Amino acid sequence: MPQFIIFIDFDYFFAQVEEILNPEIREKPVVVCVYSGRTETSGAVATSNYLARKIGIKSGMPLPQAMKIGKDRAVFLPIRKDIYKEWSDHIMDIISEYSDKIEIASIDEAYIDVTDSCKDFNDAVNTAQKIKDEIYNKTGVRVSVGVSVNKAIAKVLGDMAKPNGIKSVGPSEIQDFLKGLEISKIPGVGKVIGQRLNDAGIKYITDVINADRDQLINIIGTAKYNYLYDIANNTYNKPVTPREKKNFGRYMTLPENTRDVNIIIPYVKKAIDSAYEKAPGLPSELSLVAIMEDISILSRSYTGARIDKNRALEIAIGLLNRIINEDQRNIRRVGVRLGKITKNETLDDFF
């Protein structure tokens, strides 16, 4: 039975979050920068939106060069990792509701295996669309999605779907798709390796099948050769490998945007109940996360001794009141995130 793998890529994630938080910059080239601190302009581009890319500003570019290109046109912003991490955690929680088999590849990429929950490939594609829609409806973040029979091809399709698209290749289409797939599109084949393979007569992934094995191993090594050969033969089936979750969260949509704690608290309790059901032990860190009416995210955290569920509600209410007192906006969604989990001990652990 084939795998049904969904790859999800958060489009130009850092810059997109900045656009959501400040809608006035959406129609401008937006550049998120890592400043080195040596001078006011030293550093590099972390990411840029598509308008910035159109004028030639790309990730990794030295900041002085980017500023020269984007002078009087682009918006340059310092990177805010904590904010992007909060948004990423929220989106990953949405994705994880569809399957326990989720592999977080980076802050803005994830694979999810829906083989067990989907009756056929069409069902997997429909699930991918639901995930894409839910992420947008709940966060405003646009994602590109690829759906296929393995991780490598799902990622290829996710890259092809940019921006804000969805592409799929199912079991009945995979052989024809592979015949026309350029080797340079395969994950893990960079410019250097791609050029070496092209020079050896390997333009498409299926060219690997009939190529001289020893020659290719001399060029790219045994592990890379086996990887490409498996993809070409459609026998690549590396599983989605969930990382051990360090945080467990749950978000609830309020019936209306509000600041009324009497309306919000029952939803905080539901979020706590759900988060504690997922967690393998007791946390010593609890965060109350509020998604505001403009979809911006605020959070306040408590760290202390192990927190049982009864005390969690008391702590969460205190954190909620802090947010209400510090910010005048209405709250759209509310969530609880548990961290620094200590696994529960049982008598079996002592024998």
Side-chain angles (χ1 to χ4, degrees), residues 144-194:
S144 296
V145 179
V147 193
S148 197
V149 297
N150 62 53
K151 288 166 58 176
I153 301 305
K155 186 174 188 333
V156 168
L157 293 168
D159 291 341
M160 292 172 62
K162 292 180 180 179
N164 192 34
I166 179 168
K167 286 188 176 293
S168 62
V169 172
S172 63
E173 308 162 298
I174 190 68
Q175 295 291 357
D176 286 339
F177 178 77
L178 290 172
K179 289 176 184 176
L181 180 59
E182 293 182 7
I183 194 79
S184 59
K185 302 292 185 184
I186 302 298
V189 177
K191 288 184 178 180
V192 174
I193 291 178

Side-chain angles (χ1 to χ4, degrees), residues 50-177:
Y50 287 103
L51 291 175
R53 295 177 194 184
K54 280 185 179 179
I55 63 173
I57 300 176
K58 299 180 180 180
S59 299
M61 178 179 285
L63 206 47
Q65 182 183 352
M67 288 182 166
K68 185 177 180 180
I69 295 171
K71 185 179 180 181
D72 301 326
R73 292 191 285 175
V75 177
F76 292 87
L77 302 170
I79 194 167
R80 301 194 287 177
K81 289 185 178 179
D82 290 347
I83 289 175
Y84 311 143
K85 180 64 165 59
E86 195 69 64
W87 281 70
S88 176
D89 287 345
H90 181 24
I91 296 169
M92 296 302 179
D93 281 340
I94 292 171
I95 297 170
S96 67
E97 292 296 316
Y98 289 84
S99 174
D100 292 333
K101 296 179 181 178
I102 174 175
E103 180 178 330
I104 299 173
S106 68
I107 194 171
D108 59 356
E109 292 182 336
Y111 298 90
I112 180 171
D113 185 335
V114 294
T115 309
D116 295 337
S117 58
C118 294
K119 62 180 182 294
D120 54 31
F121 187 73
N122 286 336
D123 193 18
V125 175
N126 291 335
T127 297
Q129 185 66 56
K130 289 177 184 176
I131 295 171
K132 178 176 167 59
D133 292 343
E134 185 173 354
I135 290 170
Y136 179 74
N137 291 334
K138 290 184 175 178
T139 70
V141 172
R142 292 177 171 86
V143 301
S144 296
V145 179
V147 193
S148 197
V149 297
N150 62 53
K151 288 166 58 176
I153 301 305
K155 186 174 188 333
V156 168
L157 293 168
D159 291 341
M160 292 172 62
K162 292 180 180 179
N164 192 34
I166 179 168
K167 286 188 176 293
S168 62
V169 172
S172 63
E173 308 162 298
I174 190 68
Q175 295 291 357
D176 286 339
F177 178 77

